[in-house]
Amino acid sequence: MRVLFLFLIFCINLSAQSQEQWLVGKVFIHGSGEPLPGATVSLLSGKSVVTSSTGGFRIPSSSISDTIIVSSVGYENLRLAIASTPLQIYLKPTGKQMEEVVITGTMRAIQRSASPVPVEVYSPQFFRKNPTPTIFDALQMVNGVRPQLNCNVCNTGDIHINGMEGPYTMVLIDGMPIVSSLASVYGLQGIPNSLVERIEIVKGPAASLYGSEAIGGLINVITRSPSKAPAISIEYSATSWREHNIDAGFRFRTGPKSQALVGINYFNFTHRYDKNKDNFTDLTLQNRLSLFQKISWKRKDDRQAGIAIRLFTEDRYGGEMQWTRQFRGGDSVYGEQISTKRAELIGNYQLPVSEKINASWSANTHSQRSAYGNTIFNADQHIGFAQLTWEKNAGSHHQLLSGIVGRYTWYDDNTAATADSSGIINQPDRIFLPGIFLQDEITLNSKHQLLAGLRYDHDKRHGSIWTPRAAWKWQISEVEHLRLNAGTGFRVVNLFTEDHAALTGARKVIIEGDLKPEQSLNGNINYTRKFIFNRGYMNLEAAAWYTYFRNRILPDYNTDPDAIIYRNLDGYALSRGSSLNIEASFSNQLRLTAGFTLQDISIVEKDETGKKTANRQILTEPWSGTWTISYTFGKTGWSADYTGNVYGPMKLPLVSSLDPRNPYSPVWSMQNLQLTKKYSNGFEWFGGVKNLLNFTPARNNNFIIARANDPFDKQVERDGSGNILATPDNPYAMSFDPNYVYAPNQGRKLFFGIRYHYKGRN
């Protein structure tokens, strides 16, 4: 018995010792050999740890022969049997690794987790969960970002970030301010999806680096480097509404040290639908072609050099079903027809010196010929931009970035915006806006990082404009970060008169007083946390913001029903809110994202008695949500995606006190379902249903377009003061107006497409 007792004690002690064994090691990035912090190290027994800032880990194991699973976002998962300890593990980056490197927040290539400025990054794979023919449409999947249609007839629009309207959103292509003013919607159309590497979004003012128009946020479309793009990439899709979209990209060598990437996008929709029976097209007819070419050179010490050009042409039409081109500009059959031609040039060159000095430039020309009923709108715009930046390490704790910039804008149209005070002599708008900026990223210690920046711009009309900003990042732990940002923004007066309410022929444009530049003061807080599960992870991001605006330029539609009066706000405007984003993955088969935004966009101004009153901004939802749920069926190549949006009630633009249409939109949702099959030879097909609930604005209204039966107001009667009278033919005292729009008129539709990718050799 004593021997048996001693044997049991020995076994228990041995078991305890085995349970107390520790597996130690480090995780590195394959290729570079750099440590990989934040990677998840798991055992089949269920225990998990996260690697430290040096890539190290220590995990208890009951057996030295256990199996270990190592994973990290942007890297290939690795599963291996443990033979000895300590371990040296190397993870290979995937295409998603590029999502972890951002440039927009600080204008420097930096790990996303290390950036003191919160930057949201989205890959083409994310947008393929709900494929769309344009980036403009694709952005509806991003929480807090909403494509807003501004015209029920021609379907042009802009991008809202956290409720702020399109003029406050700067759109960049490869960091260059290609898209602005006249091209707010066209700049996000026709970019071949096969050429997009990722899209970076900064919410909140970024004027201290990017200048005017980056007052509410910015969207940076990063195109692929030719050396990393597939040799061939082709996608074709079609819908039951007879829409056709072709997207193709090709890579080839142009010399021993240069490669080129060519992209083509063609979209065609020429079939007229009138399902709401108002004799107007439900969806604008479009015929669009875009060509893109990018060349990069391989240089000594990996210095950058590249140039890209994009050509864009489009014809779009919306209006009465019987309209043809012979009615263009006339007053018998109403139609809105827009012809657009656009060319863009982007370039960058890193100087051959020991310091990191980059020169970048862009130029674009935009020509638009439009007819809105019997109102002709012709406009031309030319923009040149140049920038020189210098990155410099000032000791071990300071990373400096300085730059000088210059932007020249020439704009001309046939409206009051480019006429002298008499309104007779045409005076094209010429604006030269030079600037200089300095930014210092300060590493206080391993946990705290501070960013301070200041920009100075000079406008001959407004004088000196200063825009400072500051940011602080606290790394609470390897998986938890807190960021605080504060700064100012500005937007110089650049009145874009293609306001569709002004161009329907029913309203004229009046500019009241000398308009001053708009300014904003912003503060926001951002918190991120990563949670590790046995076979998955969840990323949580919470944010809150507050923005105070001065000198907002607001259109007044109410004082005169036949005019739009532009003036600086006699008061102030507020944008405040909070948002929550969740990204999760379970067993590499089930993935989901969800986002929710709560916001209050209000305008405070004085009434006739001098009392301040607050009014909610029209076409702005008080809350919204987005989601994606994706499931991969093992290794079969099959996957399913369920995506959607939901929006709270928006205040809508009514045209009279008797207008019977709903003053607020209902809670409405767009939901989509997609099934995809991938093959090992590079082919894949996809198909599904969009707008599952078949929602359109007509569901809650007797009509959408005001007086669609009389688009030229020929039967509208007015009193001696010009006010519209209620008559038997016009019981609601309305004039023709197509601007009551908050959601697409396109109902449920089926879609189908095929893709092909051939990686080739570099």
Side-chain angles (χ1 to χ4, degrees), residues 549 551-554 567-573 603-605:
F549 288 90
N551 298 333
R552 275 202 68 182
I553 299 173
L554 296 173
R567 62 168 74 95
N568 284 115
L569 177 66
D570 183 16
Y572 58 89
I603 299 167
V604 181
E605 54 188 334

Side-chain angles (χ1 to χ4, degrees), residues 304-332:
Q304 299 177 5
I307 192 168
I309 186 170
R310 185 169 77 113
L311 304 176
F312 175 95
T313 180
E314 182 192 61
D315 278 321
R316 62 169 56 202
Y317 148 75
E320 293 187 89
M321 293 290 287
Q322 68 271 28
W323 187 91
T324 60
R325 282 188 178 268
Q326 71 183 31
F327 297 110
R328 189 181 192 273
D331 64 353
S332 57

Side-chain angles (χ1 to χ4, degrees), residues 619-634:
L619 294 174
T620 302
E621 66 279 10
W623 57 266
S624 64
T626 62
W627 68 85
T628 70
I629 301 175
S630 302
Y631 188 81
T632 302
F633 297 90

Side-chain angles (χ1 to χ4, degrees), residues 43 83 152 244 266 331 455 481 565:
L43 299 176
N152 231 320
H244 301 272
Y266 177 68
D331 64 353
R455 176 171 174 139
H481 299 83
I565 304 172

Side-chain angles (χ1 to χ4, degrees), residues 263-279:
I264 303 171
N265 177 258
Y266 177 68
F267 178 78
N268 178 276
F269 172 66
T270 54
H271 190 78
R272 306 185 188 199
Y273 287 93
D274 179 26
K275 296 192 175 184
N276 59 11
K277 306 301 180 182
D278 61 0
N279 195 41

Side-chain angles (χ1 to χ4, degrees), residues 113-342:
S113 60
S115 173
V117 178
V119 181
E120 297 181 18
V121 186
Y122 299 92
S123 68
Q125 289 78 15
F126 174 78
F127 294 116
R128 284 176 188 155
K129 297 177 187 296
N130 179 30
T132 59
T134 70
I135 294 177
F136 176 83
D137 297 318
L139 289 172
Q140 65 186 303
M141 296 179 63
V142 179
N143 183 33
V145 178
R146 184 171 64 85
Q148 170 60 47
L149 293 176
N150 294 328
C151 177
N152 231 320
V153 177
C154 61
N155 288 165
T156 57
D158 54 33
I159 300 293
H160 288 203
I161 295 182
N162 286 345
M164 296 307 302
E165 296 164 307
Y168 305 98
T169 299
M170 173 173 275
V171 179
L172 310 169
I173 298 179
D174 289 334
M176 293 291 98
I178 282 293
V179 181
S180 63
S181 188
L182 190 61
S184 60
V185 63
Y186 307 104
L188 287 172
Q189 294 183 339
I191 300 177
N193 293 329
S194 60
L195 303 187
V196 176
E197 179 69 46
R198 66 190 186 276
I199 296 176
E200 300 180 1
I201 299 175
V202 175
K203 298 174 181 177
S208 64
L209 280 182
Y210 296 95
S212 179
E213 296 179 24
I215 193 170
L218 59 89
I219 299 169
N220 192 4
V221 180
I222 310 293
T223 60
R224 289 181 182 271
S225 168
S227 61
K228 298 178 181 179
I232 301 174
S233 178
I234 300 175
E235 177 178 320
Y236 167 77
S237 62
T239 74
S240 56
W241 279 58
R242 304 188 191 181
E243 299 162 292
H244 301 272
N245 186 71
I246 300 175
D247 193 278
F250 306 93
R251 171 178 53 83
F252 56 90
R253 288 193 174 274
T254 56
K257 293 186 177 181
S258 63
Q259 293 191 76
L261 185 62
V262 175
I264 303 171
N265 177 258
Y266 177 68
F267 178 78
N268 178 276
F269 172 66
T270 54
H271 190 78
R272 306 185 188 199
Y273 287 93
D274 179 26
K275 296 192 175 184
N276 59 11
K277 306 301 180 182
D278 61 0
N279 195 41
F280 271 71
T281 53
D282 293 339
L283 191 66
T284 303
L285 278 61
Q286 299 173 58
N287 195 30
R288 180 173 64 245
L289 176 65
S290 177
L291 304 175
F292 183 95
Q293 178 167 321
K294 184 176 184 178
I295 302 176
S296 65
W297 286 266
K298 186 176 182 180
R299 300 174 60 210
K300 184 179 179 181
D301 298 326
D302 290 327
R303 293 191 179 100
Q304 299 177 5
I307 192 168
I309 186 170
R310 185 169 77 113
L311 304 176
F312 175 95
T313 180
E314 182 192 61
D315 278 321
R316 62 169 56 202
Y317 148 75
E320 293 187 89
M321 293 290 287
Q322 68 271 28
W323 187 91
T324 60
R325 282 188 178 268
Q326 71 183 31
F327 297 110
R328 189 181 192 273
D331 64 353
S332 57
V333 178
Y334 188 89
E336 297 185 6
Q337 191 277 326
I338 305 170
S339 296
T340 302
K341 289 180 173 57
R342 179 174 175 82

